[in-house]
Amino acid sequence: MDTAIIGGGIIGASIAWRLLREGLRPVLFDAGTLGREASWAGAGMLVPGTEFSTPTPLASLAVRSLAMYPGFVSTLERDSGRTIDFSLCGSIEMAADAREADAFEERIRLQRDIGIEAHLRKSQGPWHAELHYPRDGQVDPRDIIAAIRTVFERDSPYALRERAAVQSIEPHRDHVLVHTAHGPFRARTAVLAAGAWSTDIPILGPALAVEPAFPVKGHLASWTFPAGALGPIRRRGHHYLLQRRSGTVVAGATQEHAGFDRTVHAHAVEEIARECALLWPELGASPPEHSWVGFRPATASGHPEIRRVGATPLWLAYGHFRNGILLAPATAESVAGEIVAAIK
Ligand code: GLY
């Protein structure tokens, strides 16, 4: 195999898909089912506007990745024959008072330098002001995973290794051994893209400096409404609402340091429902139909690890925290591009 990709979330799967399109032979190892962790849980907000307030390289990467999204989605739709729920619906962040609106003015000035368009308006509703980001968007990450699965099942079915936990990774000068319960697999290159679990997998051999990944738990919830009822994404702080094409309204999210605790707590869901009803009164007081949790892959620095590890044939692609869905196209382009250049 040309590349072993460890972790089949949206990051690993997108890298694998790009490599397959380049004519390489990637193999995707996942401890469970493709895309069933953070990529399944994620709302799919593509919102550099409400996620990045200051000009940093990560903010620029996010803006570039959003610009790549229409092409990423249309190519994947063509390749898979499946429809992906994606739209550049815009987003709105609410300010409660003049002080918050002033902070928005400052943010607009800073964001202009990274190419984020924003407009501050007086609110029609109970809020003091609304900050509009007309270029923000949303995607259903489950559609992306389903489309990549379709491509692999058609073109390279043996490349999907699910329920195949990687026990350790052993990089050598010109190949990588990937150890699983079924024995070692030898690959010319490898990518560690196992989200919040990435650094739980030991890297054998000389010590390599990689930043630890850890989980930040998020609760989310959903309701069914007539399609098109919500309009742009609505947000205040960590609380947000978006609507899928099907009508499902998804609301999030808590940020909790709770390890890999999969418990869905009623109080966390109630908090989301209460805060989101302030953003969109139509939500009313009805309890959500579904609620679930996911584990964002965080790093202490707040930056993702997207790079080759020294001169080894091992790449890192994890730690995307709140923005894995948004950053998938740019991450895949960068990592797959470097691997193609190294191999071909
Ligand atoms: N991307 C939104 C969140 O992490 O809650």
Side-chain angles (χ1 to χ4, degrees), residues 22-108:
E22 292 285 346
L24 266 56
R25 294 166 303 144
V27 172
L28 196 46
F29 293 90
D30 195 281
T33 304
L34 201 67
R36 276 296 295 195
E37 292 289 354
S39 308
W40 180 87
M45 290 199 297
L46 309 174
V47 292
T50 62
E51 287 284 327
F52 297 97
S53 301
T54 49
T56 61
L58 183 57
S60 299
L61 189 72
V63 170
R64 192 159 72 77
S65 207
L66 177 59
M68 292 173 70
Y69 243 98
F72 178 82
V73 166
S74 61
T75 307
L76 184 51
E77 285 186 328
R78 261 198 319 277
D79 204 0
S80 65
R82 296 183 68 102
T83 302
I84 294 171
D85 181 357
F86 163 71
S87 68
L88 293 174
C89 55
S91 73
I92 304 173
E93 186 154 1
M94 311 298 180
D97 52 33
R99 193 183 51 80
E100 287 185 9
D102 287 347
F104 281 170
E105 298 272 19
E106 172 62 9
R107 198 207 285 182
I108 291 172

Side-chain angles (χ1 to χ4, degrees), residues 42-45 47 51 218 220 235 238 240 252-255 296 321-325:
M45 290 199 297
V47 292
E51 287 284 327
L220 294 98
R235 176 166 190 175
H238 290 325
Y240 53 79
T254 56
Q255 281 202 175
R296 303 178 186 86
F321 191 37
R322 299 178 55 86
N323 289 294
I325 313 301

